[in-house]
Amino acid sequence: MGVTKQYLRYVAASMWGVVASPKAPVVMLCLRGVRGRYAAVAAVEHVFVWDLRIGDKLIVLKGEKHEVTALSASPDNQHLAVGYSDGTVKVFSLVTGEVGVVFSGHKTAVTALTYDHEGMRLASGSKDTDVIVWDIVNEAGLYRLKGHKGMVTHCHFLRNRNILITSSKDTFVKWWDLDTQHCFKTMVGHRTEVWSFAVTADEKRLITGSGDSELRVWDIQYKEQGLEEEEKAESPAKKARLEEQEEEDKEKDNEPQEV
């Protein structure tokens, strides 16, 4: 007589008492004209907006069966972009709590979300190493940027130029020209994965942080700025040479000529 075993499958039916889940960052919101009071957090497959003053849930943005892995608020704080473990991105209205746009383009979990400064475009990075720039108004993808060899950890649009900066676990920080959709600069230096970075308000410096326990500060300088500085540095020397040449010419003019 054979020995048989009965295997029971246990499936979670429901969850309660969740404050926040750890796979997505906490995003501070400015709602009702109040800054620093409201926070959006991932709560497994849902998103909770907490009123930190009274400790109560203000809004619940309901998801389906996939866990929330990324959050980003629009510049006007009217919408919240939510990335999920299946690679989809949903844009919720913080006024109605309803889904307005759904983007599907990644194969695996979304790990980075960033709006541009006007709120018209959204950049998403994923574990599939791709970066996609989405058009919020037309509800369509604009470009897919390929080049990283590891999970994308952070994205940032520059305010004054049509440039996107991305970082990854492949230790690199890449600069993308969105007019041509090409990477024109790859910053190397960190020995381990770059987890995040920040750009100063004047967009003249970049601070990167990685797993090698280092913060690196980079000066941002564009080619035309370098040429202008070189011209400024050369102008006093050029002026001095011109003055010397003029004096020599005057001396030659004043010399007596032989008859």
Side-chain angles (χ1 to χ4, degrees):
M1 182 176 178
V3 178
T4 61
K5 291 184 179 180
Q6 183 178 8
Y7 294 93
L8 299 177
R9 178 178 294 177
Y10 296 94
V11 179
S14 61
M15 299 183 69
W16 63 91
V18 176
V19 175
S21 52
K23 290 192 176 180
V26 176
V27 176
M28 300 302 296
L29 302 174
C30 178
L31 299 178
R32 303 171 180 175
V34 179
R35 189 177 298 276
R37 177 173 175 175
Y38 304 100
V41 301
V44 195
E45 71 272 21
H46 308 306
V47 176
F48 293 162
V49 177
W50 288 95
D51 186 331
L52 301 179
R53 184 173 298 175
I54 62 176
D56 196 8
K57 285 191 290 247
L58 181 69
I59 306 172
V60 177
L61 306 177
K62 292 187 177 181
E64 296 177 356
K65 59 182 179 179
H66 298 288
E67 192 170 359
V68 175
T69 55
L71 296 172
S72 180
S74 63
D76 59 1
N77 280 269
Q78 296 295 308
H79 298 88
L80 185 71
V82 183
Y84 293 90
S85 59
D86 66 339
T88 59
V89 178
K90 295 181 180 180
V91 179
F92 287 86
S93 170
L94 291 174
V95 178
T96 63
E98 300 295 327
V99 178
V101 187
V102 179
F103 296 123
S104 298
H106 292 292
K107 299 175 183 177
T108 54
V110 178
T111 53
L113 281 175
T114 304
Y115 278 92
D116 68 0
H117 296 282
E118 296 178 350
M120 299 296 181
R121 295 177 298 177
L122 177 71
S124 62
S126 171
K127 283 185 178 180
D128 63 11
T129 74
D130 290 350
V131 178
I132 302 178
V133 180
W134 307 93
D135 186 335
I136 297 294
V137 177
N138 294 320
E139 302 181 5
L142 293 175
Y143 346 99
R144 183 185 295 270
L145 307 175
K146 291 178 174 286
H148 281 297
K149 299 183 183 300
M151 182 185 84
V152 179
T153 56
H154 192 51
C155 305
H156 179 81
F157 287 95
L158 291 186
R159 183 184 297 272
N160 299 321
R161 294 172 183 265
N162 196 23
I163 291 173
L164 178 71
I165 309 173
T166 60
S167 63
S168 170
K169 290 182 72 174
D170 62 5
T171 74
F172 300 138
V173 176
K174 290 184 176 289
W175 293 62
W176 305 88
D177 184 347
L178 296 181
D179 291 328
T180 60
Q181 297 95 57
H182 284 87
C183 174
F184 66 91
K185 177 69 177 177
T186 299
M187 297 168 56
V188 298
H190 285 292
R191 296 184 295 274
T192 59
E193 55 270 11
V194 179
W195 286 108
S196 189
F197 63 85
V199 180
T200 57
D202 58 4
E203 296 188 344
K204 292 184 177 179
R205 286 187 176 176
L206 175 73
I207 302 99
T208 56
S210 76
D212 57 12
S213 304
E214 288 183 353
L215 280 176
R216 295 198 176 198
V217 182
W218 312 76
D219 283 327
I220 300 174
Q221 189 177 50
Y222 302 98
K223 188 174 181 180
E224 58 268 25
Q225 292 177 343
L227 293 174
E228 289 176 2
E229 290 182 2
E230 287 179 6
E231 289 176 358
K232 289 179 182 178
E234 290 178 358
S235 57
K238 285 183 178 179
K239 188 176 180 180
R241 287 197 298 270
L242 289 173
E243 289 177 354
E244 290 178 3
Q245 187 66 35
E246 288 177 359
E247 290 179 1
E248 290 177 1
D249 292 341
K250 287 180 181 178
E251 289 177 359
K252 287 181 181 179
D253 294 337
N254 294 331
E255 287 179 359
Q257 298 180 355
E258 294 181 2
V259 180

